[in-house]
Structure formats: structure tokens, C-alpha cells
Amino acid sequence: RGFGRMIHKDVGWDKNMLLTGGLPMPESRFPEAADRIAFFRKVETRLRELPGVEAAAMSTGVPIWNYGTNRPIMNEGQADANPANLPLASHIMITPDFFKVLGVPLLEGRIFAEDIKPDDSKVVIVNAALAKKFWPGESAVGHRIASINGEETTWSEVIGVTPDIEPAADIGNPRTPFQIYKPIVQEPWSWVRFDVRSRNPAALTDTVRMALAEVDPDLPATDVMTVA
């Protein structure tokens, strides 16, 4: 019965329309951030061209299992707080069409611009739980929030708020209910996922593999799968 509840629970996004897979990017091939960003854009453009694809995006995580990397966060009223006592938020780096792929509408604000650049002003999108925690009774849009990654503290402006979404297959309790989405061009990892929205995602598996091989035949996708 518990397994049945997990399979059929409402996770807040269109889990029946997602095809995803991993693209490990060795640093010997992609030594600079600009190299990784250019590759992300090539892959995303090629996937968008495929018949049956409604939207495509790149991200560092999708809400199937554990979702993103957890980092301490604070708002401007907590600027002198001890990081050990701060709440955690799951951070996911994405391209602008990520929410379109998942079928998640913004509650307020806007998504990242298509032409956003690595050295543009830092911006983020947060989920409703985080917005309510930090700015109860008011809009989160326009406020600033800081993420702490080791010794580095990065302040960003909140430009949008999404609904809360849950991982489809994570059977543990999440470490945090808070989610922050960053433009992938402002933190380009050397490992990324491709995310494709389609009404029949399983039927696109081979087509997507071939399209990725066209972009880079020496970089095979891993774990290509639907949510099911």
C-alpha cells in the first residue's frame, strides 16, 4: 500500500512527460566554464529540434530522487548569523525552459532570460516554502538571498517563485523543504542532465541518444530513462 501511494502521489509536476539522462563531462574535454556552457546550449538546441519534443532543458538535477545539492541560506536580516544554525536549501542549476519541461508554472515573477550571461547580476528562483519562510505575507520577488558554499557566500536577487514540488521516487524524508534554482550559466557543473518533455517520452529514447551522438559522439549519455 505504501508503494502504491508513492507511485500515485501528486508530486506537483508532470512526471509522465519526462525523459532524462546524464551527461558526464570530463574536465580534460571541458576545462573552462565557457566550454561547458557552449556544450549545454548545443545539446539543448538539438533536442528542441526533435519531432515530438515539446520542450528541452539542461539541469544539475531532476525531482526523481534526491533533488539538488544542499547549502545554508540566509536573507539580509541574518547577515551575521552562524552558518551552522542557518536553514538549508536544495540548489538546482537550470536552463530557462526547465519549468516548462516539468510543467510547473511560476506563482509570481519571471524565469531567467534566454541570453543570461555568467557575469550578469546573480538571480535565483525560489519555491513557495522558502518564500513563506523568509518573507511571510509579502512578495519574495525583489528580495536578496545568500547561499553559502564552503567559504563562498553569494548574494542573489529573487526574480520568481515556483510551487513546491516533490521527488517522485525518494522514499526518505527530505533534508529540507526549501528549493533554489540558479541559472546554469552562472554555475556550470562538469556533470549535467538533459531533460525532455514529450507526450510519449519513452518513444524518444533512441532518437535522443542519436541526437546527442550528433552533438558529441565521444560523450555518451548515461541512465537515459523516463520517470516510470
Side-chain angles (χ1 to χ4, degrees):
R1 287 195 297 270
F3 184 72
R5 286 194 297 271
M6 185 189 78
I7 293 297
H8 297 293
K9 73 177 179 179
D10 180 8
V11 292
W13 56 282
D14 290 341
K15 62 182 180 179
N16 295 320
M17 299 184 69
L18 178 70
L19 179 73
T20 185
L23 288 171
M25 302 166 60
E27 292 190 9
S28 60
R29 291 276 313 281
F30 303 92
E32 304 295 334
D35 300 322
R36 296 191 287 274
I37 292 168
F39 179 73
F40 298 161
R41 287 175 172 154
K42 286 181 183 178
V43 170
E44 191 173 49
T45 299
R46 183 67 186 97
L47 293 177
R48 286 173 176 170
E49 297 169 348
L50 298 177
V53 170
E54 297 185 5
M58 310 295 286
S59 66
T60 57
V62 291
I64 300 178
W65 299 287
N66 293 330
Y67 191 33
T69 181
N70 294 327
R71 297 172 183 169
I73 55 170
M74 62 184 176
N75 61 20
E76 292 181 293
Q78 301 171 297
D80 296 324
N82 182 347
N85 298 326
L86 294 173
L88 296 174
S90 180
H91 287 62
I92 307 99
M93 279 48 80
I94 65 171
T95 56
D97 271 357
F98 181 75
F99 300 114
K100 185 176 181 180
V101 170
L102 295 188
V104 175
L106 287 190
L107 298 177
E108 60 173 323
R110 60 182 175 86
I111 61 173
F112 309 126
E114 282 284 348
D115 60 351
I116 190 169
K117 297 176 177 59
D119 55 355
D120 285 348
S121 298
K122 298 295 188 290
V123 290
V124 294
I125 295 170
V126 303
N127 70 330
L130 193 157
K132 183 177 180 181
K133 166 73 173 178
F134 275 5
W135 304 286
E138 60 179 308
S139 173
V141 175
H143 283 282
R144 293 207 313 154
I145 189 169
S147 299
I148 302 172
N149 185 17
E151 299 298 319
E152 182 180 1
T153 299
T154 303
W155 286 94
S156 305
E157 179 187 352
V158 177
I159 64 168
V161 179
T162 71
D164 302 328
I165 63 177
E166 296 182 38
D170 188 356
I171 61 174
N173 293 321
R175 290 190 63 196
T176 174
F178 306 134
Q179 295 156 357
I180 290 180
Y181 302 90
K182 294 181 59 178
I184 202 168
V185 299
Q186 295 187 341
E187 190 175 332
W189 286 16
S190 58
W191 189 92
V192 72
R193 299 200 72 87
F194 66 85
D195 313 311
V196 170
R197 178 181 177 88
S198 173
R199 298 198 176 276
N200 188 3
L204 284 173
T205 301
D206 290 339
T207 303
V208 166
R209 284 187 184 276
M210 289 187 288
L212 294 171
E214 292 173 13
V215 177
D216 190 328
D218 298 320
L219 198 70
T222 62
D223 300 327
V224 181
M225 65 181 75
T226 65
V227 180

